[in-house]
Amino acid sequence: MNKTWFRKLLLSYLPVFFIVITILFALFFMTLNEQNRREAVKANEYLAEQVVLTLDRSLKAIDYEVVQGVLTDKRISQFFKQQQVNVVNNIDTIKALDELKFNHPMIDSVYLYRFSDGFVFGDASNTLNEFPDKAFIEQFEAQMPEETWTSQREFQPFEDTSPRRVITLVRGVRNGSQGVSGYYIVNVSANKLSGEIKQLYNPDTSSIEIIDRLGNNLLQDEDKSPQQTAVLSTFNSPYTGYEIRSGVQDVNGLSLILGLYKVWVVVALVVVLLGVLWVIYVTKRNYRPVNQLVSWIQMSSAKLDGVATNFDKEGEFTFIQHTLEHLMTESKQYREQYHEKLVMHKKYYFYQIFEEHALVSEEEWQLELANYNLSAAGKLSQALIIELDNQEGGEEPSDEENPQLRIQMSEYLHGLLAKHHIEAWSEWISNRRIALLLWLPEGVKSSDNLLNEVVPEIQQWIEEHAESRITMGLGETGDTLEQLASSYDTAKQCLQYKAVLGKNRLIRIQDIIKPADPGQEYFKTIYKLSQSIRLAESDWQDHLDRLMDQMERAVLPRREIENLMQFFLHHLEGELLELSKDYRIIWKNAKDQLEQLGRKWDDLHELKKGCQSIFEAMIQKMQVKKDSHSNKSLMIEVRTYIEENFPNAELSLDFLSARFQMNAKYLSKMFKDEFGENFVDFLIGLRMNEAKRLLTETDKSMQAISQEVGYYNYNSFNRAFKNVVGISPRDFRKQPTLPIKIT
């Protein structure tokens, strides 16, 4: 297929696509870079704030200690009080200054200036006129500056030394009410201050500048030229008044890249706009073939019924789609109808010949096979019917169950037989049976060897894909249509003997030859089995086993087995309908289960197992009913005996157990279950009712009445009477005569 138009479209759009995508990628990375820049600004703001805190904390500490020394250190105050040089006091003063420098390593030098004699005392003691820093000190004599620390300046303590960069703290020292008597001057090295600040950041990537009031950078190395940096944040120190600037080193033109963000955005928008214009131009150019195709379809669609021609509303591609869908739908419907007709015709033809036994000549048969691409000339044919076995305890599948499995099974069988050069015609003749007409390869006179190879493979495939097993019936071979129809009937007949020969096997004609009739003992066995079940006897299992063995030895087909089972159920129902209503209800439930079993069983093993389970439950229920009727009669007899013999002092559970041949505990339980009262309470109630009658109607002594109601010991009688009546027998007799309430 020529794809020239496809390549033209592809090459038309790809360049602008790559250009636009490249610009968008660049814009994306620039946006990401802008985000990083903002994060860097935040980080630099934090760094600048930390630098201010560190700088102010260090300088404030020096300032605080200087002020504390001026106010509290006697050595400093003594120096400014004396009028002339005092060696001892100067030694103490120099110690105080050394302590200050020791505590603060950033201090470059410290000296004191005394107004009274113009003496400068420190690392280089001298008079003011000879002191190298005279000009700096003199500017403070007129007026003290407002700022705490000076801007960066150069300090040269000796004439033979090179000047050093420092910032200076000047504090006036007051001498009581006399006012300022001198200055306390501290010089902090700019280099040492820079070293401490640089510990807070990486100088290779970040940049910090401390700008004093004169614009000097306190952190600028003397031997290095200033580097170009991109300042991201600034912060002013409220203590020193210095400005702290933070940023990043301008590596490889970073500041230029950061500044080009807006330019990149504009460039990207321009490129996208140009890309849109280019796409519009290319689309118009490439639309011409589509327009020509639509025009041709519009002219042709008028001849097609049912095709929408409203091009203006639908659009060209929707119009093309509808036209093609219409053509494909009609083509698909035609193919489906043709296939359905072919399948139905094939199935109907199969049914007419092999089920209805329609008369068809050999020539017509051969022509029909040719329509299905089957070559039968000179080949032996044979019928094979495969039946899916029911899973044990399962129900027969419906006709609609798993149609996909049927299709897969048919395709597999045809593929497997084709590997062995066997041509086949397959039809599903029921929901569980598929019939195969087989034509053996030319020159093959028997199918035994081929089927010995094919059958295990079919069984294995069914077990894996259908989770079931199969039984197969095989007819005899022949070379005419009449012989093939006979083979088909034989294969169906073979499957009728699955009930006695077993499932999951291949049944041939020689397997269903019946043995000599043993006398047809089925009906005698059915009669004995029915009688045994009716009487709930234990030998019913032996009769059921005998009936199943007789049918198996006789090699009966399924239809005859079903007829025998129907006769058995009819006869058993007649026996059980003579019993009481309770037994008929038990039989009705069992009958429903037996009818369900009749729709499920596949072989005699399943039938026998199902019958055993149903009859066991049925006989157990019948036995419970039988026992309950027997126990009720016995308990009535026990109660009557107690009522007639309650005066007998020997009457007890053990006495009754021996009398009625029953376990004492079992008798007591059955008595209470039947009458709702245990034996002892019932016996005492009878005796107390008789005692109340004798106490009211006779003048017999208490001892005599006690013995007449079953108590040899009067104390036992008296205690029992009180427990039941609530008063003693003597008190009961003294009461006014009332009607006796029998409990």
Side-chain angles (χ1 to χ4, degrees), residues 287-484:
Y287 177 72
R288 293 174 191 150
V290 177
N291 190 30
Q292 293 175 356
L293 177 62
V294 170
S295 300
W296 178 80
I297 293 177
Q298 282 182 310
M299 290 186 295
S300 303
S301 61
K303 302 178 182 180
L304 299 175
D305 295 335
V307 180
T309 58
N310 195 347
F311 168 77
D312 295 333
K313 292 184 178 180
E314 293 181 344
E316 53 273 73
F317 284 103
T318 304
F319 174 74
I320 295 172
Q321 177 184 354
H322 287 174
T323 304
L324 295 178
E325 284 178 354
H326 179 79
L327 294 175
M328 289 187 291
T329 301
E330 286 190 345
S331 177
K332 182 179 179 181
Q333 290 176 351
Y334 174 77
R335 290 195 302 269
E336 289 177 352
Q337 291 174 1
Y338 175 78
H339 180 71
E340 288 176 0
K341 289 180 180 179
L342 182 64
V343 171
M344 293 300 297
H345 174 76
K346 185 179 178 183
K347 192 175 186 68
Y348 177 76
Y349 194 81
F350 183 94
Y351 179 81
Q352 286 292 314
I353 293 178
F354 296 99
E355 296 291 342
E356 298 293 332
H357 299 94
L359 297 177
V360 177
S361 66
E362 195 68 29
E363 291 77 10
E364 292 176 344
W365 171 246
Q366 295 295 335
L367 290 175
E368 189 68 25
L369 292 180
N371 292 332
Y372 310 136
N373 297 321
L374 294 173
S375 176
K379 298 179 181 179
L380 287 177
S381 59
Q382 192 171 21
L384 175 67
I385 300 179
I386 302 175
E387 182 176 76
L388 295 174
D389 296 333
N390 283 339
Q391 296 183 0
E392 190 168 343
E395 294 185 357
E396 183 177 1
S398 62
D399 291 339
E400 293 80 13
E401 184 174 350
N402 203 354
Q404 188 64 30
L405 175 63
R406 296 187 183 187
I407 298 174
Q408 293 177 354
M409 185 173 173
S410 299
E411 293 177 351
Y412 169 75
L413 291 174
H414 280 277
L416 176 64
L417 295 172
K419 285 199 312 183
H420 295 273
H421 307 289
I422 301 175
E423 294 190 69
W425 180 353
S426 67
E427 292 292 342
W428 282 91
I429 57 177
S430 73
N431 59 330
R432 291 193 300 159
R433 287 187 178 183
I434 181 172
L436 295 169
L437 305 181
L438 309 179
W439 284 271
L440 306 179
E442 292 185 7
V444 177
K445 300 300 181 182
S446 174
S447 63
D448 292 343
N449 293 334
L450 289 174
L451 291 179
N452 288 338
E453 297 179 12
V454 171
V455 168
E457 294 186 43
I458 297 176
Q459 290 175 329
Q460 181 180 358
W461 189 91
I462 295 297
E463 288 183 7
E464 292 177 356
H465 294 79
E467 298 181 357
S468 178
R469 295 185 177 182
I470 56 172
T471 303
M472 292 171 277
L474 182 66
E476 63 276 11
T477 58
D479 54 2
T480 65
L481 174 59
E482 182 180 358
Q483 291 174 340
L484 182 57

Side-chain angles (χ1 to χ4, degrees), residues 27 30-31 34 256-266:
L27 183 60
M30 291 302 298
T31 303
E34 175 65 15
L256 178 61
I257 295 175
L258 293 176
L260 288 178
Y261 171 71
K262 295 182 179 180
V263 177
W264 272 107
V265 173
V266 174

Side-chain angles (χ1 to χ4, degrees), residues 199-226:
Q199 294 178 1
L200 300 176
Y201 66 97
N202 184 2
D204 294 334
T205 58
S206 300
S207 171
I208 292 293
E209 295 179 351
I210 301 178
I211 308 301
D212 61 17
R213 284 175 292 274
L214 299 179
N216 300 314
N217 183 7
L218 301 183
L219 303 184
Q220 177 65 46
D221 294 335
E222 296 177 350
D223 55 348
K224 293 184 179 179
S225 59

